[in-house]
Amino acid sequence: MPTANNWAYRTGTITSRSRSVSGLCRSADPEMLRLRRLDGMTMTATHHRRRRPSCAKTSCTVAYIITATRRTKADPAAFKPYGFGRDTYFTPASYVFYTWTLIDILLLGYVIYQFFDDSAEAVHGIGWRFAIIGILNAIFVHVFVTGHYIVAFIFAGLVAASVSTAYYSLAAHHHSRSLGDTLFIHLPFSLWHAWSIVLVLISGFALFTHGHHKSHPSVLSRVFVLAAEAFLTLTAIGYAFRSREGDVAGAVVLTWVLYGIFDHQRDDVIRYGALAGFILALLAVVKSLYFTFVARDGGVSLGNDDERRPLVA
């Protein structure tokens, strides 16, 4: 049986231990407060850094100026079919190339919009990719204008790959939260992604073929052009069915290119192959528009974005 002295001893021990623990807690309070103050200062500094124009944003602005200026000077002379560039059996009508002008205008909106706080998350998802893509695009335009079609084809592929990483990063991790995100971030990169595919094909035909729309194509040339038209058609359908609503912008670009090929080319096989692709792609665009603006709660898709994004995104 515990005696009174033992009970008092145990009670005193427990009390002293409680006081010790309480003292330790009180002694730790200043340290905790100091850590909290440091944490608050770090968050404040991070907030101010986000508000200030970063080096990446400045680089994006410079890259945009370089690539837009270079492309504007080169476009009439190299890319339009009635200029001094190499016209091929795949070349679309000249008005199709105004797609690039629309992309430049929207990218100018991106350059301005990136300095607003509402764009922080989506712009962070693109990061340095924009500057890298701009530099690659400027090099591509320069080498295409100067007739170095081998190098142009390589850089067209690099531009397409770089745009793809930004495009799938936005689609998978940075969904649109506002009208500004949609107009100045997601829309230009959707258009640019589809247009970069077209530029790869244009560069490839400029490199490997030598005919133009007024000459009589060989059987092999027809096969290659029909294969390219089928690829554009399937890609446009893929844009439309990539989610419930689909990517309307990307599908519209490829549909527009197919119509431009039909309008510009003179060979019946190439023309009507492009027309068939245009009709199928247009149906996919209508589906995408319907489930975007009319029936947003339903739709048919080929899977989610995470299943199709590139590993390097």
Side-chain angles (χ1 to χ4, degrees):
M1 294 294 293
T3 62
N5 292 333
N6 291 337
W7 178 258
Y9 173 78
R10 293 180 180 179
T11 305
T13 302
I14 295 174
T15 304
S16 62
R17 288 179 179 176
S18 300
R19 290 176 179 175
S20 299
V21 173
S22 178
L24 289 174
C25 293
R26 285 196 300 271
S27 63
D29 285 344
E31 181 67 18
M32 294 295 295
L33 292 175
R34 187 180 70 84
L35 292 176
R36 289 179 180 178
R37 284 197 297 269
L38 290 176
D39 189 34
M41 293 172 61
T42 303
M43 293 178 63
T44 304
T46 303
H47 177 70
H48 285 297
R49 283 197 300 269
R50 288 179 179 177
R51 293 179 63 89
R52 291 196 298 266
S54 64
C55 182
K57 294 179 181 179
T58 305
S59 301
C60 291
T61 305
V62 174
Y64 170 79
I65 295 173
I66 293 174
T67 186
T69 303
R70 184 59 183 146
R71 191 205 62 78
T72 303
K73 292 181 179 180
D75 202 5
F79 290 97
K80 292 182 179 180
Y82 299 107
F84 299 101
R86 178 172 292 182
D87 193 12
T88 68
Y89 299 119
F90 182 78
T91 306
S94 59
Y95 51 77
V96 173
F97 289 88
Y98 286 107
T99 304
W100 216 341
T101 304
L102 176 61
I103 294 173
D104 284 341
I105 294 174
L106 293 174
L107 289 177
L108 176 60
Y110 169 85
V111 170
I112 298 173
Y113 184 64
Q114 68 177 338
F115 292 99
F116 291 86
D117 293 337
D118 294 340
S119 66
E121 182 180 352
V123 170
H124 177 72
I126 297 174
W128 289 91
R129 291 187 182 98
F130 186 89
I132 295 173
I133 296 169
I135 294 172
L136 292 175
N137 191 69
I139 296 174
F140 160 71
V141 173
H142 175 74
V143 295
F144 192 95
V145 169
T146 55
H148 299 87
Y149 296 115
I150 297 177
V151 182
F153 180 70
I154 294 173
F155 273 92
L158 293 175
V159 171
S162 301
V163 174
S164 295
T165 60
Y167 173 78
Y168 283 103
S169 177
L170 288 174
H173 305 296
H174 305 281
H175 299 288
S176 178
R177 294 186 173 183
S178 63
L179 181 61
D181 286 355
T182 301
L183 288 179
F184 302 123
I185 298 180
H186 287 266
L187 179 58
F189 277 93
S190 293
L191 295 173
W192 205 357
H193 184 253
W195 185 246
S196 66
I197 297 173
V198 177
L199 292 181
V200 171
L201 294 175
I202 289 176
S203 302
F205 277 96
L207 173 61
F208 296 108
T209 63
H210 303 284
H212 55 85
H213 72 288
K214 293 183 179 180
S215 63
H216 185 72
S218 63
V219 176
L220 187 60
S221 297
R222 288 174 175 172
V223 170
F224 281 129
V225 174
L226 290 177
E229 292 171 350
F231 174 74
L232 290 184
T233 303
L234 293 176
T235 305
I237 295 174
Y239 276 123
F241 286 89
R242 63 183 291 270
S243 63
R244 292 185 184 276
E245 292 82 11
D247 186 349
V248 181
V252 167
V253 169
L254 300 186
T255 305
W256 184 237
V257 171
L258 287 168
Y259 178 79
I261 296 173
F262 165 75
D263 186 37
H264 178 64
Q265 298 297 327
R266 294 294 175 263
D267 182 74
D268 289 338
V269 175
I270 295 176
R271 292 184 73 244
Y272 290 110
L275 179 62
F278 166 75
I279 294 173
L280 293 175
L282 184 61
L283 293 175
V285 170
V286 172
K287 171 266 170 191
S288 188
L289 290 173
Y290 175 77
F291 287 112
T292 299
F293 298 105
V294 180
R296 297 181 60 88
D297 296 333
V300 180
S301 67
L302 299 179
N304 54 39
D305 297 324
D306 293 337
E307 297 173 353
R308 292 180 308 280
R309 70 176 185 271
L311 296 177
V312 295

